[in-house]
């Protein structure tokens, strides 16, 4: 197994280019199962989660080729409908093949995604949505078995105790595109990745109204065709590099970002005192005065993204004063707290809220990555800590950050990979 080693204390400087969004790529790849025709996905990031999704497509009988950042998917005549445990257990997002498989083939068998370190991740909304479209759902031997030759449009409220669900919205919307009649999804997620999926489905011939809103209206069509699509940039990767610049008191320019996807993060960083400029699509980050502590609450889009919470906490750990983070999407997503503590951070947990007392200096330590975003937080902490930080279980990072050590090294970080 690999680990990352970081020698901290070097301000980052220079330009970094952002990759395509992982969380847009995964449902869009699943959507190719809705057609028999060739689809081309551009700006695809080379990540472990993307290759897991490609393996799932191949296991269904779909032809897939990835070269550089271009994926060509040829689904014609794929004939299997089972997403096996072996693959689903390595990536929860595999569940998003459920909607497209049942809509196209009338049958889907998808392993139930297992436990997750960021807390409970139920799938009731996925099942409620697919059932409302008329599919028969059974749970057998750890698999969801969905059958429905003739799905029919419906009116569904898709909210849970924590609000809208990104992948449940994706699943139900995909199934609705080939259902007879009109489907209305109330409390739909409107994350930029959902909008990207809507844009892709529309290119395939789907009829969807309500883009960028919480109410989607989908008029089913008989068939969908192939499409070519360029994925949006990864807003969480952008946010992570903005924070890498801020935490090292550096000056990084970020190329290929879409500032309009980052409203609340930019707002919060300006409240802290960061200067963020957008010049012709290049975001530049500068610090000219001491940062101020802030409070952040994670919420569904356009609220503060839960996927930026851990990285934000790393920055708060070295910001003088008391900051707070309240997690309202995954109230147990705090695995990074104790690892940041090993590096000298002072963080107290009270239910879903973390109170962070900024310290002058973190110190390098051996720490363990527990999930993708927690790992990113440890990298940020390692970049500013005094001395050497060893981050084990780095495979979590490889799920979601393309060439992270290469990109950071080019910005002047001392970071490298070693065998454990
Ligand atoms: N929820 C339910 N029932 C469901 C589904 C979700 O109650 O059937 C709850 C969840 O427990 C959570 C809330 O709804 O409290 C929102 O979860 P959501 O379904 O939106 O999460 P997801 O779609 O499974 C995606 C991202 C996650 C990201 C969340 C929230 C992908 C592939 N994953 O997951 O990304 O944290 O939305 O924005 O799009 C990551 O990239 O590191 C990551 C975990």
């Amino acid at each position: 197994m690999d680990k990352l080693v970081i020698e901290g204390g070097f301000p980052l400087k220079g330009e970094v280019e952002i990759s395509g969004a992982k969380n847009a790529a995964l449902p869009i790849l699943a959507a190719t199962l809705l057609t028999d025709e060739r689809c081309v996905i551009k700006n695809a990031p080379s990540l472990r989660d993307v290759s897991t999704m490609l393996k799932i497509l191949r296991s269904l009988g779909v032809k897939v080729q990835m070269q550089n950042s271009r994926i060509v998917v040829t689904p014609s005549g794929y004939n299997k409908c089972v997403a096996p445990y072996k693959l689903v257990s390595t990536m929860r997002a595999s569940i998003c093949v459920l909607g497209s498989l049942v809509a196209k083939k009338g049958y889907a068998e998808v392993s139930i995604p297992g436990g997750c370190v960021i807390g409970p991740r139920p799938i009731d909304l996925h099942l409620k949505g697919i059932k409302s479209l008329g599919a028969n759902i059974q749970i057998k031997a750890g698999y969801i078995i969905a059958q429905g030759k003739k799905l029919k449009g419906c009116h569904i409220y898709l909210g849970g105790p924590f609000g809208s669900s990104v992948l449940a919205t994706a699943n139900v919307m995909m199934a609705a595109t080939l259902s007879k009649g009109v489907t209305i999804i109330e409390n739909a997620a409107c994350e930029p990745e959902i909008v990207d999926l809507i844009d892709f489905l529309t290119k395939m011939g789907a009829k969807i109204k309500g883009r960028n809103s919480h109410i989607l209206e989908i008029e089913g069509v008989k068939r969908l065709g192939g499409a070519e699509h360029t994925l949006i940039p990864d807003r969480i990767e952008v946010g992570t590099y903005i924070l890498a610049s801020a935490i090292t008191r550096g000056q990084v320019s970020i190329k290929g970002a879409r500032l309009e996807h980052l409203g609340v993060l930019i707002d919060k960083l300006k409240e802290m005192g960061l200067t963020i400029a957008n010049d012709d699509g290049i975001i530049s980050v500068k610090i000219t005065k001491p940062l101020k502590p802030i409070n952040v609450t994670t919420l569904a889009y356009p609220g503060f993204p839960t996927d930026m919470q851990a990285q934000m906490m790393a920055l708060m750990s070295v910001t003088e004063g008391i900051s707070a983070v309240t997690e309202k999407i995954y109230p147990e997503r705090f695995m990074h707290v104790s690892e940041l503590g090993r590096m000298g951070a002072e963080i107290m947990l009270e239910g879903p809220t973390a109170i962070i007392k900024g310290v002058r200096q973190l110190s390098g330590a051996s720490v363990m990555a527990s999930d993708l975003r927690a790992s990113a937080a440890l990298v940020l902490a390692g970049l500013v800590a005094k001395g050497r930080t060893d981050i084990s279980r780095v495979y979590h990072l490889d799920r979601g950050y393309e060439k992270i050590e290469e990109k950071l090294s080019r910005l002047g970080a001392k970071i490298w990979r070693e065998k454990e």
Side-chain angles (χ1 to χ4, degrees):
M1 235 189 274
D2 286 348
K3 67 174 177 179
L4 272 187
V5 183
I6 304 175
E7 202 65 61
F10 299 91
L12 301 190
K13 283 203 173 70
E15 191 173 280
V16 63
E17 190 153 357
I18 294 307
S19 304
K22 162 181 89 78
N23 289 349
L26 301 176
I28 284 177
L29 284 168
T32 63
L33 294 170
L34 290 163
T35 180
D36 295 315
E37 294 175 16
R38 180 175 178 270
C39 296
V40 180
I41 315 296
K42 297 180 193 160
N43 197 30
S46 178
L47 296 169
R48 206 160 62 98
D49 276 6
V50 170
S51 52
T52 304
M53 185 53 90
L54 297 186
K55 277 185 199 158
I56 291 179
L57 294 184
R58 283 194 192 104
S59 76
L60 297 169
V62 174
K63 284 195 201 96
V64 184
Q65 268 186 318
M66 181 164 183
Q67 207 169 34
N68 301 321
S69 59
R70 187 170 184 268
I71 302 177
V72 179
V73 183
T74 318
S76 63
Y78 76 89
N79 53 6
K80 299 201 185 76
C81 299
V82 182
Y85 176 70
K86 193 175 75 189
L87 294 171
V88 178
S89 60
T90 64
M91 183 182 75
R92 290 189 54 88
S94 319
I95 186 132
C96 58
V97 298
L98 180 69
S100 40
L101 273 179
V102 71
K104 177 76 174 139
K105 298 288 184 187
Y107 185 84
E109 234 180 282
V110 180
S111 173
I112 299 174
C116 180
V117 288
I118 69 177
R121 298 192 61 187
I123 53 163
D124 56 312
L125 297 175
H126 300 251
L127 303 186
K128 176 183 167 185
I130 304 290
K131 230 187 226 171
S132 305
L133 290 166
N136 180 333
I137 305 254
Q138 282 177 296
I139 305 292
K140 259 195 205 157
Y143 278 75
I144 306 156
I145 301 176
Q147 295 183 70
K149 285 268 180 237
K150 286 187 186 143
L151 299 186
K152 238 175 103 187
C154 65
H155 191 129
I156 179 169
Y157 178 82
L158 209 58
F162 300 99
S164 56
S165 159
V166 176
L167 290 182
T169 301
N171 247 332
V172 179
M173 176 166 60
M174 287 193 270
T177 57
L178 289 181
S179 299
K180 193 165 180 224
V182 173
T183 299
I184 310 271
I185 306 178
E186 269 188 70
N187 207 353
C190 66
E191 269 68 3
E193 295 76 18
I194 288 291
V195 177
D196 210 29
L197 174 63
I198 293 176
D199 290 346
F200 180 64
L201 291 168
T202 305
K203 287 178 190 167
M204 294 172 85
K207 293 190 177 159
I208 304 172
K209 287 188 197 152
R211 190 178 175 277
N212 273 321
S213 84
H214 289 294
I215 301 184
L216 294 176
E217 186 182 319
I218 302 129
E219 190 187 331
V221 294
K222 286 224 161 84
R223 59 174 292 283
L224 293 172
E228 249 190 65
H229 186 72
T230 302
L231 296 172
I232 54 169
D234 195 312
R235 66 192 164 108
I236 306 301
E237 192 192 19
V238 177
T240 304
Y241 282 101
I242 292 180
L243 294 195
S245 180
I247 204 167
T248 62
R249 306 307 192 247
Q251 204 168 331
V252 172
S253 300
I254 297 159
K255 204 174 153 194
R258 298 252 302 257
L259 207 57
E260 72 269 25
H261 293 161
L262 294 156
V264 62
L265 178 71
I266 302 293
D267 188 61
K268 283 289 166 189
L269 291 172
K270 285 186 175 163
E271 193 183 325
M272 285 182 102
L274 242 83
T275 308
I276 299 178
N278 182 17
D279 189 12
D280 217 11
I282 298 184
I283 298 178
S284 52
V285 189
K286 221 167 42 183
I287 295 186
T288 49
K289 51 189 178 203
L291 294 184
K292 287 188 289 221
I294 55 161
N295 294 343
V296 156
T297 299
T298 66
L299 289 169
Y301 190 82
F304 193 91
T306 172
D307 291 344
M308 282 304 304
Q309 178 258 104
Q311 302 89 310
M312 192 62 165
M313 209 182 289
L315 178 61
M316 290 166 162
S317 298
V318 288
T319 300
E320 201 185 330
I322 307 285
S323 297
V325 168
T326 300
E327 178 50 77
K328 290 224 168 154
I329 305 287
Y330 299 114
E332 295 171 27
R333 193 177 199 175
F334 286 120
M335 295 294 281
H336 43 285
V337 167
S338 49
E339 298 303 295
L340 287 172
R342 304 195 70 249
M343 301 178 74
E346 292 189 17
I347 306 173
M348 196 179 74
L349 274 181
E350 256 184 38
T353 298
I355 315 284
I356 304 108
K357 183 172 168 220
V359 297
R360 244 168 218 278
Q361 175 85 69
L362 295 175
S363 54
S366 291
V367 287
M368 195 181 280
S370 56
D371 78 280
L372 173 56
R373 309 304 172 188
S375 316
L378 295 175
V379 170
L380 297 188
L383 290 174
V384 72
K386 190 161 191 252
R388 172 179 163 135
T389 297
D390 290 53
I391 306 175
S392 59
R393 300 200 179 168
V394 72
Y395 55 86
H396 288 294
L397 269 178
D398 297 335
R399 290 188 39 216
Y401 289 93
E402 192 176 47
K403 299 183 185 149
I404 187 164
E405 67 265 40
E406 205 179 303
K407 289 186 183 184
L408 286 171
S409 296
R410 261 193 247 128
L411 295 172
K414 302 279 172 269
I415 179 169
W416 65 94
R417 208 171 269 246
E418 279 183 9
K419 289 264 170 260
E420 278 194 276

